Amino acid sequence: MAGYKKQRLMNLAASSTWSAPLRDLVELSQIEVIPYELELKYDYWNYHEIVASVLPGEVENELPHGFTAIGHVAHLNLREQYLPYKGLIAEVLMDKNPAVRTVINKTDDVGEQNEYRTFSYELLAGDPDMFVEVREGGCTFRFDYSKVYWNSRLETEHRRLIDQFQPGEAICDVMAGVGPFALPTGKKKCFVWANDLNPDSFASLEDAILKNKASPYVRSFNEDGRRFIRDSAKSLLETDLCVDTTPQQSRRYKNHGTSDVQNWRPQHIVHCPKTFDHYIMNLPASAIQFLPAFVGLYADHRTLFETDQPRKLPMIHVYCFNTKSDNGEAEAIKICEEISEHLGYPMKPGDPEIESEVQIRDVRGVAPNKTMYCASFRLPRDIAFRNSNIATMSTPNYSVLSIAAFYVLALIPQVYGTIFIYRRTNGGFNNANPRGVGSIEHYKKTTDKATFAKWERIRGAHNNALENFSLFAAAVICANIAGLDVNKLNLVCGSFLAFRTVHSLLYILVTSQELAGLRSLAWMGGASSCIYLLVKSGILFMDGRGARGVGL
């Protein structure tokens, strides 16, 4: 009896955690609370609970609970503070997710190492096999995840865009990857021309077309995106493509010449349009840089889009990166400015069905201050019909040649100065040590004051040019890596060479203090050209829009 009272007191002592009804029933002795030992083993706890309990307290904030599943592969993107525990995290993740056989951690940004949008990774746990099979949009895809680009988190965006396409339309997927846009679109009975530069993506795309029986509607290509935009538009105009969608039963009756009118249906043939209705450009790191390929796309086929014709110019959906803000208005303006720069035509945020207006859609955040956007707009008539003799698929880039041109320009004063002093000293030029103090003193003694002063100015023009050479070369290289508009790059480089030519001439010829300021202005013009290129390149890199500013 004493033991019972003791147990009852213990139960009452723990009653602070009971509900009111439970406490009342115990007080009325209608029920009794007795001890019960419950053993919770490893299998009971989930991944997050285990990781939270084993990691040190100083790294428990924002525990790494999210991962991307691609088939049997779990793709982590661990922050630096969790790297010492990456093995433990990977093992627990595998234990708690039976479908996961491989755990990897990304070690660089997507596309940072190459143009195929692949990334470096380390195997944390499990099987090193990276060949996966995934399903999306009712289609099956098989690929080596280490060699191609795939992002499961874009499934919603894929579906959103595909829902806009209507059966019978022609879609050009310029950077198709393994086909997450192309295959489901083909399943909708749209005609899709899908292209990717990566040979491994192209091989997986062809496999997906075959496996999903999409060949009547989806065609695959392995070309440079800029060339593909031009070539595919031309090829489609010359192609008579159609698909017989007559039900199989109707075909059987028709082929056998049956007179059973009740079972016969008219033959239904779907013809592919002569022009594309939509272009998809899903390469957010640099897709906007491909837009110049649309200039003059239909310059020789204006009559196809006359106002009395139902055909519209294509809708372009180009993906890009930019910063993140509360309302996105600043980013929309910046994106439109960049599109305008590459098209050579003013664009502004607005309704994509209105010419020169762009719809900017926030797709997903990829970093704390970096977001992926989709910019959709109808190709402006002024761009599509611009003179094709002027608008080429890619303007020749003379910027690198301008570096060589400037170096030659810097050498001209040196050559001229050597000849000049040789003649003025009657062959007394000391080529063994032309810059030595003794040589310079000799030139000074054997020539008049004006001649020696001119030789010093010639030498100064040469030295000043060499001093500016490295700055100009660095600016041009940065601008090319950042993907600055080629037309603008050529213009700035040409301006720099013009400023430097004027500077050298003024340096050599001007002797008065009053006119020396003109030489300084020419110098400032050249320096400003270099600074402009560096600043524009820096902005592109900061905004994640440079050719190497990739990250997903």
Side-chain angles (χ1 to χ4, degrees), residues 398-413 465-466 469 472-473 476 493-494 496-498 500-501 504:
Y398 299 110
S399 62
V400 176
L401 288 177
S402 70
I403 298 176
F406 180 45
Y407 190 75
V408 172
L409 185 63
L411 291 179
I412 290 175
L466 291 181
F469 177 77
F472 177 63
V476 171
C493 290
F496 175 84
L497 292 176
R500 292 303 312 184
T501 300
S504 294

Side-chain angles (χ1 to χ4, degrees), residues 340-472:
S340 302
E341 179 180 321
H342 286 279
L343 285 179
Y345 184 84
M347 306 291 285
K348 62 182 180 180
D351 185 347
E353 290 295 346
I354 299 176
E355 185 163 296
S356 79
E357 293 191 4
V358 185
Q359 179 190 60
I360 307 296
R361 182 179 180 85
D362 184 331
V363 177
R364 62 179 292 264
V366 298
N369 191 37
K370 188 175 184 180
T371 297
M372 178 180 177
Y373 295 90
C374 177
S376 300
F377 62 93
R378 197 164 292 283
L379 183 64
R381 298 176 68 83
D382 182 66
I383 298 302
F385 304 141
R386 191 171 290 177
N387 191 329
S388 59
N389 293 325
I390 299 174
T392 58
M393 114 175 175
S394 58
T395 303
N397 187 338
Y398 299 110
S399 62
V400 176
L401 288 177
S402 70
I403 298 176
F406 180 45
Y407 190 75
V408 172
L409 185 63
L411 291 179
I412 290 175
Q414 173 69 9
V415 175
Y416 173 57
T418 301
I419 297 173
F420 176 80
I421 200 66
Y422 181 85
R423 290 179 175 177
R424 296 300 187 277
T425 58
N426 297 318
F429 176 74
N430 181 10
N431 195 41
N433 187 19
R435 299 183 184 182
V437 175
S439 298
I440 296 174
E441 287 297 324
H442 173 71
Y443 305 152
K444 189 173 183 179
K445 291 177 181 179
T446 56
T447 60
D448 57 67
K449 186 176 181 180
T451 298
F452 184 76
K454 185 175 181 179
W455 178 76
E456 284 190 312
R457 293 197 304 275
I458 295 171
R459 188 175 61 159
H462 168 66
N463 291 338
N464 189 276
L466 291 181
E467 290 167 4
N468 283 268
F469 177 77
S470 57
L471 175 64
F472 177 63

Side-chain angles (χ1 to χ4, degrees), residues 218-275:
V218 183
R219 301 178 64 182
S220 57
F221 300 85
N222 181 212
E223 300 178 14
D224 171 75
R226 294 176 181 84
R227 182 174 299 279
F228 181 68
I229 290 171
R230 308 288 294 190
D231 291 349
S232 60
K234 180 180 178 182
S235 297
L236 188 60
L237 285 168
E238 301 169 351
T239 300
D240 290 321
L241 182 63
C242 61
V243 176
D244 185 354
T245 60
T246 307
Q248 289 295 120
Q249 185 180 20
S250 299
R251 293 183 198 175
R252 185 168 62 250
Y253 279 102
K254 185 172 173 44
N255 292 339
H256 285 80
T258 180
S259 59
D260 192 341
V261 178
Q262 181 179 359
N263 291 295
W264 183 85
R265 297 178 185 176
Q267 189 177 23
H268 187 203
I269 304 295
V270 179
H271 292 271
C272 179
K274 289 294 184 179
T275 60

